[in-house]
Amino acid sequence: MNTEQLLEQLSIQCDHLRSLLQQQVPVLRDFSRRLLQITQQLRKNIDVRDNTFAEEFNQYVKNLRDTLDQVEPGWTELRTQIRHTPEKSWNGDLALAAKGLNIRAKALSVACDEFTTQYDIFGKQYKNFTAAKLNVWLLTSCQTDINSLTGKVLFLAREIARKTEQNREPLHER
């Protein structure tokens, strides 16, 4: 792949991951709401009406883990190809596309922050909850991987933008 194709693929991957995270936020928010209701019912010695919560939550985090495991190899391959691309290949003609990628990476970072916020809210609701076995460790693993991947994408986007700016011709030479 040439650098233009790499930038296009990276932008597509950013948008895909951002979309995936944006879909997860309301789902995790709903699980937090349901867990809060369950803990309130338990505190008041009321029969818990949400009998499917643990099963649905565990299935959700399993599906999220599977999805992230499918996405990761594509990111790894793209990052490897970009790292092996010579710096001079990132010419100034790609500066606009590189800035676009940088914007997409920042939007991905915002989606990651929203997911992390919902994860933190869920964690506060989950604290001291022992009524059902929830695979929160798997959710923690997913959140850690999402944060790590987002950080790598942000760094990569900044580096590409920096390289394209460095390789631009000065205005007086045009």
Side-chain angles (χ1 to χ4, degrees):
M1 264 194 260
N2 65 28
T3 51
E4 191 173 338
Q5 292 169 328
L6 284 172
L7 274 175
E8 186 177 321
Q9 269 309 111
L10 200 53
S11 293
I12 290 168
Q13 292 281 80
C14 268
D15 289 342
H16 178 262
L17 186 57
R18 180 179 49 83
S19 173
L20 174 71
L21 291 178
Q22 287 174 332
Q23 293 169 10
Q24 302 309 312
V25 169
V27 175
L28 197 50
R29 183 180 302 126
D30 185 53
F31 278 120
S32 294
R33 181 193 54 76
R34 288 171 64 188
L35 183 59
L36 177 62
Q37 286 178 336
I38 290 170
T39 55
Q40 287 174 344
Q41 290 169 353
L42 289 171
R43 240 182 275 129
K44 295 176 182 177
N45 289 328
I46 299 173
D47 288 336
V48 175
R49 290 170 249 165
D50 191 346
N51 298 324
T52 61
F53 176 78
E55 181 183 327
E56 289 175 16
F57 176 80
N58 289 338
Q59 187 61 45
Y60 163 73
V61 293
K62 181 189 177 303
N63 291 342
L64 180 59
R65 177 79 264 162
D66 291 344
T67 301
L68 291 175
D69 288 345
Q70 290 172 359
V71 168
E72 180 64 33
W75 278 105
T76 303
E77 183 179 326
L78 257 179
R79 289 189 344 258
T80 301
Q81 288 179 7
I82 289 170
R83 278 195 304 267
H84 289 96
T85 302
E87 282 198 32
K88 293 293 180 189
S89 297
W90 300 104
N91 61 31
D93 296 340
L94 299 172
L96 187 59
K99 287 180 182 182
L101 171 63
N102 212 0
I103 290 169
R104 283 185 165 94
K106 288 177 183 177
L108 170 61
S109 178
V110 169
C112 177
D113 290 346
E114 290 171 359
F115 182 81
T116 299
T117 299
Q118 286 308 311
Y119 166 79
D120 290 342
I121 291 170
F122 184 85
K124 287 177 184 170
Q125 301 297 337
Y126 178 71
K127 189 177 179 182
N128 300 324
F129 178 75
T130 58
K133 178 151 175 48
L134 301 179
N135 294 336
V136 175
W137 62 271
L138 198 53
L139 180 62
T140 301
S141 167
C142 292
Q143 189 269 337
T144 301
D145 289 351
I146 289 167
N147 274 342
S148 174
L149 183 57
T150 300
K152 290 174 184 175
V153 171
L154 275 170
F155 177 77
L156 203 58
R158 283 193 303 264
E159 283 298 301
I160 290 171
R162 183 186 57 78
K163 289 175 185 177
T164 57
E165 280 299 316
Q166 283 178 345
N167 292 335
R168 278 179 96 173
E169 292 178 18
L171 287 176
H172 65 276
E173 290 182 16
R174 289 184 184 176

